[in-house]
Amino acid sequence: MKHVFGPVSSKRLGQSLGVDVLPSKSCTWNCIYCQLGKTKAYVAERRKFFPREGILKEIKQAIGGPAAIDWITFVGSGETTLYEGLGWLIRETKKITDIPVAVITNGSLLYLEEVRNELLEADAVLPSLNAGSAELFEQIDRPAQGFTYERHVEGLVAFRKVYCGKLWVEIMLIAGVNDSVEALQDIAAALEKVQPDTVHLVLPTRPTTESDVRLPSEEVITRACLILSHVAKVIHPAKGSMNLRNTADIIETVAAITRRHPLQERELRHALDGLIPNEPDQVERVIEQLLGSGKFKTVALEDGEIYWVLTGDG
Ligand code: SF4
């Protein structure tokens, strides 16, 4: 399948079937923590990147398969709402299944009424708000021209006014950038205006565009939870575990995941242990088979954590 991948397991969305509606990488922002590499050319206009019928066909196929799915999650190799057929896809998906639909977005296009309207039928929308000031917004998200901080917050506020589903705002917490008491209080003030249902703290645990993007300490994360919890319930998601059961082609499944983000080797090994319990030699053979396919290479971070990324052949 070209657009649908997973289901991948996450604490927030359980077994989540991903639907990628964009060519890589199409984004209004160029975040310092992006896992997809630098935004080479901003995309600021909405487009029909792919025929919507083809994407819906893949969704139908996936939900008719054997895998258990808790959420159908629209994500993009960039900013999801840039896809012009998104509202139609959400509506059509809801006609064929009771599985709830989520949209992961940076929220930069919510200032447009048409985008707000297209998301109304989603069961959950997860926009980003990483900064409480224009300066930090520019530093972290590095938006395309015209995408100002004021416009971003206004879009979120306007959406909250009309949206009755779950609004889960995501904050990427980066050491030394937006984790000071002052920065967090500014974010809390912006959240007051947005009134999300919950706030999801996320961390730069995977290789990112800029090498100096670092994880905050446990103490700082706790402090962030305390400050932000004055505004909304804060969820600090533990890492989800990947589920490789019901996978017909393991190389393709791992490639589909690494195409969207670097895959922690520990997470992959854990999933393989679940697939082939008590057979460490066989797990090693699968790892060798995956690496032998030429689709993947490994990258070691400073903290010793190893990640899998696609080679050019992936
Ligand atoms: S992290 Fe998301 S919003 Fe930021 S540049 Fe990457 S794809 Fe775009």
Side-chain angles (χ1 to χ4, degrees):
M1 293 209 206
K2 191 172 162 196
H3 299 282
V4 168
F5 61 98
V8 276
S9 178
S10 81
K11 188 183 175 197
R12 295 174 296 170
L13 298 168
Q15 293 298 314
S16 161
L17 185 79
V19 185
D20 186 349
V21 291
L22 299 175
S24 186
K25 176 194 174 182
S26 315
C27 202
T28 50
W29 291 359
N30 177 26
C31 303
I32 56 172
Y33 60 83
C34 188
Q35 300 158 7
L36 300 170
K38 283 194 192 335
T39 305
K40 293 196 184 92
Y42 288 111
V43 180
E45 305 277 318
R46 305 188 74 210
R47 293 183 200 159
K48 292 187 178 77
F49 294 99
F50 302 104
R52 55 194 195 175
E53 292 77 11
I55 302 177
L56 184 65
K57 195 169 158 200
E58 286 192 21
I59 296 172
K60 279 185 186 157
Q61 228 175 304
I63 59 181
I69 300 167
D70 299 315
W71 285 84
I72 297 170
T73 307
F74 288 94
V75 294
S77 295
E79 170 40 31
T80 320
T81 62
L82 280 169
Y83 181 61
E84 246 184 1
L86 187 62
W88 182 86
L89 272 178
I90 294 170
R91 267 197 317 282
E92 293 303 311
T93 302
K94 294 207 61 84
K95 280 184 198 162
I96 55 170
T97 178
D98 292 335
I99 301 171
V101 168
V103 179
I104 296 181
T105 167
N106 65 16
S108 60
L109 294 171
L110 287 172
Y111 77 95
L112 296 171
E113 191 178 6
E114 68 178 50
V115 172
R116 296 198 292 273
N117 288 340
E118 284 187 33
L119 299 186
L120 288 180
E121 284 193 47
D123 299 278
V125 175
L126 292 80
S128 299
L129 180 64
N130 301 311
S133 69
E135 292 70 29
L136 264 188
F137 173 68
E138 293 287 335
Q139 186 188 336
I140 298 170
D141 299 315
R142 302 185 298 195
Q145 214 180 3
F147 287 82
T148 61
Y149 178 67
E150 289 70 27
R151 182 192 260 188
H152 183 58
V153 175
E154 277 166 26
L156 293 172
V157 172
F159 183 59
R160 171 75 293 181
K161 283 194 179 134
V162 294
Y163 181 60
C164 303
K166 297 177 176 71
L167 187 63
W168 296 337
V169 169
E170 268 194 17
I171 299 170
M172 177 64 78
L173 197 65
I174 306 164
V177 178
N178 63 351
D179 65 344
S180 68
V181 171
E182 191 193 356
L184 288 161
Q185 282 171 342
D186 287 348
I187 296 175
L191 287 170
E192 288 267 16
K193 297 185 205 154
V194 178
Q195 292 290 309
D197 295 295
T198 49
V199 168
H200 292 178
L201 268 190
V202 288
L203 305 172
T205 50
R206 295 180 172 134
T208 53
T209 303
E210 305 298 334
S211 54
D212 55 353
V213 169
R214 289 173 294 108
L215 277 172
S217 65
E218 278 305 320
E219 191 189 335
V220 167
I221 295 168
T222 308
R223 182 175 71 191
C225 290
L226 280 173
I227 294 174
L228 299 172
S229 62
H230 290 296
V231 186
K233 184 175 168 204
V234 179
I235 294 175
H236 168 207
K239 276 187 81 56
S241 58
M242 200 169 57
N243 183 356
L244 291 174
R245 294 193 180 96
N246 304 315
T247 297
D249 181 337
I250 195 154
I251 294 178
E252 267 320 302
T253 302
V254 174
I257 295 167
T258 39
R259 207 166 284 134
R260 271 95 196 171
H261 60 71
L263 173 62
Q264 195 181 41
E265 183 169 293
R266 224 156 18 118
E267 200 182 339
L268 173 62
R269 285 182 176 278
H270 184 71
L272 288 172
D273 285 338
L275 187 69
I276 327 162
N278 310 317
E279 296 281 356
D281 291 349
Q282 227 182 310
V283 168
E284 285 311 316
R285 273 198 291 278
V286 176
I287 295 269
E288 279 167 24
Q289 186 198 346
L290 285 164
L291 286 173
S293 71
K295 284 180 184 271
F296 312 99
K297 62 181 179 187
T298 56
V299 179
L301 293 196
E302 270 175 27
D303 60 4
E305 204 68 71
I306 295 171
Y307 284 83
W308 285 41
V309 293
L310 285 183
T311 60
D313 303 333

